[in-house]
Each structure stands twice: as structure tokens, then as C-alpha cells.
Amino acid sequence: MVRPMAERKPLIVGNWKMFHGGASGCELAVELRRSLADIDKVDLVVAPPFTALAAVAHELDGSRIQVAAQNTHFEASGAYTGEVSCQMLLESGCSWTLVGHSERRQHFSDTDESVGLKVKSALAAGLLPIACVGETLEQREAGTTLDVVHRQVDAIIDAIGESSAEPGLTTIAYEPIWAIGTGKVAGPEQAQEVHAAIRARLARDSTQLSEITRILYGGSVKPGNSASLMACTDIDGALVGGASLNAESFANIARSSG
Ligand code: 13P
């Protein structure tokens, strides 16, 4: 299992969402492998759709780019039609999994409770979870951003505490829903404020957990805004959607983050 470094090495993750199946996913993987070959100051992960995982992992084998799933089920096996377990993801060449992305919370009934179960199950299986949190536009306008994010983060902290995994293996991604796919990026101060609040929340549980947990920002990250976000004290990387579908823009984001 990959161990995050104590100094929070930047982590850039490309979430391909429901784009790039096996054939085009492999083409993108080959391009990424070439474009990112000289980048060693950041950890790099791509999250293709389930059907492309094994083929993309094969293309990236031996490179510095690792593979994540976009979701997992919390049971090890069973009669759960259409679901995939952590062990199956490991067998497909994944070492990471996204958990609780806002699109899963919005459209596929992920809740704080199921997100917690998925984090625990990933840690138990030896998959590194990237657990997502973030507020809607209405919640931001109502001034409840930190209440919402604290509630979501608390479920993740409880899951980490209940697992016997060492701290630092879980990454948290702050993705304000109003910034996803809208071109409306959170300003660095806006993002830093929430990241600092998440780190303070982690510190209530354990200073070590707060110091070594990587907190990524996601929501309209592009080559033109990534450097100013990455310069913030509590932003340790990015979860990139649209701009990760093109090798050059993903490589430029990674290059600006090291
Ligand atoms: P965009 O970068 O397309 O806004 O998507 C963000 C996201 O949801 C990454 O998980």
C-alpha cells in the first residue's frame, strides 16, 4: 500500500466521471504516461469508469500514475446487483477509491452513513479512500457551509477511528457543489477557509491526523487557477473533473502543483 508522506506531498487526482471507456481511456492513459513522465514532486492518480479500470491500470503499470475507482460498495461480496467490492477493485489494479462524491450523494443515495461504511471497508481492504465533502449553493448562501462540511467530515473521522488503519491513509476532498462543472471556482481564500476548518476538525480528533491528512480541492480546477489554489496552506492537491480528460491540461495542473 502507498503511504502518504508526513509532509503532505501534493496529490492530483483526475476524476474521469462517465467519460472514456476502455478504448479511449487506454489512449488517454498512454498520453498521460508520456506527458507526466518527468513529474515526481506530486502523486498522480486517475479514476476511470469501472469498465476501464483494468485496461487503464495495465497501460499505467510501472508508471508513477496510480488508479482509483469512482465508488465502491461496503460489503465484501453478496447479492448486490450492479455493485463492486473493494477486493474486486484491488484485483482490477486500483489502489485508491473515491467515496461519497457529491454526484453519488445527489443521484445515487450516498449518505454520511454509507460514506462512513465505504471508508471503513476501503481501509480494511487496503484501498486508499478519497472521501468527498462539500456544500450546495443554497447552503453556502444560507451561511451553513461549515455546519454541512463538519457533519460530513465527522462521519469520515468516525469511520477512520473505527478502522484499525493508521492515520493519514484517508484523503479528504472538499468540492463545493456550486463549483463543480460550472467554471465557478472557489477563490483561494474561500477554499482555504473551508480547508482550514476541516483540518481544525481533524485536530479535535488527533493532531497527528490533522497534520498528515491530505485535503484536496475540487471544482472547476484548470491549468489557469491551479497554482493559486495549491499555494494555500491547507490545500494539498486537487480533484479534477473536466480538465483531467485531456492529457495536456491534466499535466499542466500537475506541473503547477509541485
Ligand atoms: P470539474 O473539475 O469538472 O468541475 O469537476 C470537479 C469534480 O467533480 C471532480 O470530482
Side-chain angles (χ1 to χ4, degrees):
M1 183 186 284
V2 188
R3 309 227 172 263
M5 298 175 60
E7 68 270 27
R8 307 203 306 259
K9 187 174 180 183
L11 169 62
I12 305 296
V13 182
N15 175 9
W16 294 1
K17 306 194 178 185
M18 202 169 73
F19 298 99
H20 290 308
S24 66
C26 284
E27 283 170 26
L28 178 57
V30 169
E31 280 184 65
L32 285 170
R33 191 176 179 134
R34 200 180 320 111
S35 319
L36 296 168
D38 60 329
I39 297 179
D40 58 4
K41 293 198 178 74
V42 297
D43 286 338
L44 298 163
V45 175
V46 292
F50 283 141
T51 56
L53 285 175
V56 168
H58 182 72
E59 289 296 346
L60 296 175
D61 193 30
S63 77
R64 294 192 52 261
I65 311 169
Q66 297 174 332
V67 177
Q70 298 175 14
N71 181 36
T72 186
H73 196 270
F74 46 81
E75 294 290 353
S77 60
Y80 299 105
T81 303
E83 292 292 324
V84 177
S85 73
C86 294
Q87 188 58 41
M88 293 167 186
L89 297 176
L90 286 166
E91 286 167 9
S92 300
C94 289
S95 34
W96 302 74
T97 184
L98 302 185
V99 172
H101 189 280
S102 62
E103 287 152 16
R104 305 264 354 142
R105 292 181 189 253
Q106 261 180 313
H107 305 303
F108 303 101
S109 312
D110 266 4
T111 60
D112 288 342
E113 190 192 355
S114 67
V115 168
L117 290 171
K118 290 176 185 194
V119 166
K120 261 202 293 190
S121 162
L123 289 170
L127 265 183
L128 298 166
I130 300 170
C132 306
V133 300
E135 81 286 3
T136 62
L137 184 60
E138 294 72 44
Q139 290 163 335
R140 174 157 284 268
E141 286 175 350
T144 57
T145 297
L146 295 186
D147 296 337
V148 170
V149 169
H150 282 156
R151 193 200 69 226
Q152 294 170 332
V153 168
D154 285 350
I156 297 163
I157 294 174
D158 287 349
I160 296 170
E162 285 162 24
S163 77
S164 51
E166 59 191 273
L169 298 178
T170 302
T171 297
I172 293 178
Y174 168 58
E175 298 203 305
I177 294 169
W178 48 270
I180 295 179
T182 58
K184 274 194 223 164
V185 64
E189 303 81 35
Q190 243 176 346
Q192 166 60 24
E193 183 196 4
V194 180
H195 280 238
I198 294 172
R199 202 171 302 289
R201 201 72 174 185
L202 292 164
R204 292 201 331 180
D205 189 74
S206 134
T207 311
Q208 189 200 13
L209 185 66
S210 92
E211 283 172 355
I212 66 176
T213 297
R214 290 190 281 198
I215 308 175
L216 313 183
Y217 170 79
S220 296
V221 175
K222 305 272 180 279
N225 58 29
S226 50
S228 59
L229 287 160
M230 294 318 137
C232 298
T233 322
D234 291 298
I235 299 184
D236 307 313
L239 180 52
V240 186
S244 74
L245 300 176
N246 171 281
E248 195 186 338
S249 61
F250 191 63
N252 285 337
I253 291 169
R255 220 163 259 121
S256 72
S257 308

